[in-house]
C-alpha cells in the first residue's frame, strides 16, 4: 500500500486489513518518508510511503503463514551476540520493526550491561522502521553517556537511505563490515568522529 498525501493530511493504509487513518504528519526532507506518521499513530512497518504498513491491531497479529526465517525477507531477530575484547557485537537479521523490537531491545541492554563499545551488525537486516530506529538512537545515546561508542556495520542500501533521510547517518559511525568496525574501535579512531553534530542528531 501507499500513503496518500492530501494537502496537509496523509492517509495511512494497513496492508493487512485495509483500515485507514488520516492525520497531519511532519514533513521530513523527503516527501516519501512517513516515519513520523507511522510512529505517532502506533503503526508498524516501513518508514517510506510505499509500505508495508500495519495498523496497531494488525501489528499484534502473527504475520501470514507464521512468518519466515531470515533467509530472504521477513520477520527477523538477533542472530547472535559476540564479545570481542571490550566490544559487544549484536548481529540482527530480517525486519527490525515492532514485531522484533523487544528482541533487539534485550540484546542492546545486554550489550550496555557489558559496559564496552557496541557494534550492531546490520548485514542481514532488510528493513528497519521507527521502532528499530528509536532503539538504535537510544542505545547510541546511552553508550555515549557511559563513554562508549555504538557503531553500525554493513547497513544495506535501504537502511542507509533511511538513516540519511532521517538525518541520522551522522549520528552513528557507519562501517562497511563488522571487521572494519572492530578494527577502528580497537585502535581508538572511532571516537574522533563523534562530534557535536552527532550528539544533536542523536537527540532529535
Amino acid at each position: 500500500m501507499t500513503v496518500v498525501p492530501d494537502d496537509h493530511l496523509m492517509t495511512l493504509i494497513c496492508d493487512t486489513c485495509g483500515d485507514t487513518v488520516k492525520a497531519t504528519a511532519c514533513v521530513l526532507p523527503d516527501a516519501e518518508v512517513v516515519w513520523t506518521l507511522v510512529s505517532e499513530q502506533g503503526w508498524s512497518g516501513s518508514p517510506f510511503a510505499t509500505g508495508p504498513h500495519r495498523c496497531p491491531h494488525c501489528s499484534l497479529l502473527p504475520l501470514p503463514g507464521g512468518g519466515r526465517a531470515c533467509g530472504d525477507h521477513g520477520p527477523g531477530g538477533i542472530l547472535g551476540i559476540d564479545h570481542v575484547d571490550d566490544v559487544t557485537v549484536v548481529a540482527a537479521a530480517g525486519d527490525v520493526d515492532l514485531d522484533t523490537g523487544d528482541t533487539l531491545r534485550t540484546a542492546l541492554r545486554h550489550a550496555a550491561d557489558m559496559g564496552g563499545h557496541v557494534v550492531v551488525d546490520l548485514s542481514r537486516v532488510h528493513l528497519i522502521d521507527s521502532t528499530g530506529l528509536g532503539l538504535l538512537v537510544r542505545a547510541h545515546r546511552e553508550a555515549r553517556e557511559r563513554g562508549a561508542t555504538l557503531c553500525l556495520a554493513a547497513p544495506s542500501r535501504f537502511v542507509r537511505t533511511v538513516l540519511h533521510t532521517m538525518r541520522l547517518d551522522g549520528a552513528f559511525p557507519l562501517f562497511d563490515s563488522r571487521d572494519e568496525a572492530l578494527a577502528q574501535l580497537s585502535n581508538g579512531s572511532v571516537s574522533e568522529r563523534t562530534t557535536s553534530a552527532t550528539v544533536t542528531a542523536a537527540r532529535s
Side-chain angles (χ1 to χ4, degrees):
M1 292 291 183
T2 301
V3 175
V4 182
D6 179 17
D7 292 329
H8 299 296
L9 297 177
M10 287 188 176
T11 301
L12 198 59
I13 306 170
C14 178
D15 285 292
T16 303
C17 69
D19 193 15
T20 63
V21 62
K22 182 176 288 189
T24 57
C26 172
V27 178
L28 293 163
D30 187 334
E32 287 297 306
V33 176
V34 293
W35 177 35
T36 55
L37 179 61
V38 171
S39 178
E40 289 168 1
Q41 298 299 319
W43 289 47
S44 64
S46 170
F48 291 114
T50 51
H53 306 110
R54 294 200 294 162
C55 68
H57 172 71
C58 292
S59 294
L60 299 176
L61 300 176
L63 292 171
R68 291 169 288 172
C70 175
D72 175 21
H73 185 52
I78 301 301
L79 290 179
I81 301 176
D82 298 323
H83 302 288
V84 182
D85 297 327
D86 65 340
V87 180
T88 300
V89 180
V90 176
D95 295 349
V96 180
D97 54 18
L98 183 65
D99 297 314
T100 59
D102 286 341
T103 305
L104 178 60
R105 183 182 294 106
T106 300
L108 291 173
R109 186 178 300 121
H110 169 76
D113 290 342
M114 297 304 294
H117 300 304
V118 180
V119 173
V120 182
D121 184 347
L122 301 175
S123 59
R124 296 187 63 181
V125 168
H126 306 291
L127 179 149
I128 187 167
D129 75 352
S130 57
T131 300
L133 288 172
L135 290 172
L136 291 177
V137 169
R138 189 174 302 111
H140 169 81
R141 182 173 59 245
E142 292 172 352
R144 189 181 64 245
E145 289 173 352
R146 67 173 188 274
T149 301
L150 183 143
C151 302
L152 304 183
S156 67
R157 183 176 179 180
F158 174 84
V159 173
R160 284 180 180 271
T161 299
V162 172
L163 292 171
H164 176 73
T165 305
M166 297 296 144
R167 298 181 178 175
L168 290 172
D169 49 345
F172 303 96
L174 301 177
F175 296 97
D176 292 334
S177 69
R178 160 183 166 154
D179 290 342
E180 182 184 352
L182 289 171
Q184 293 295 322
L185 285 170
S186 67
N187 64 31
S189 61
V190 173
S191 59
E192 298 172 4
R193 300 169 57 176
T194 305
T195 65
S196 58
T198 297
V199 173
T200 301
R203 287 178 176 171
S204 62

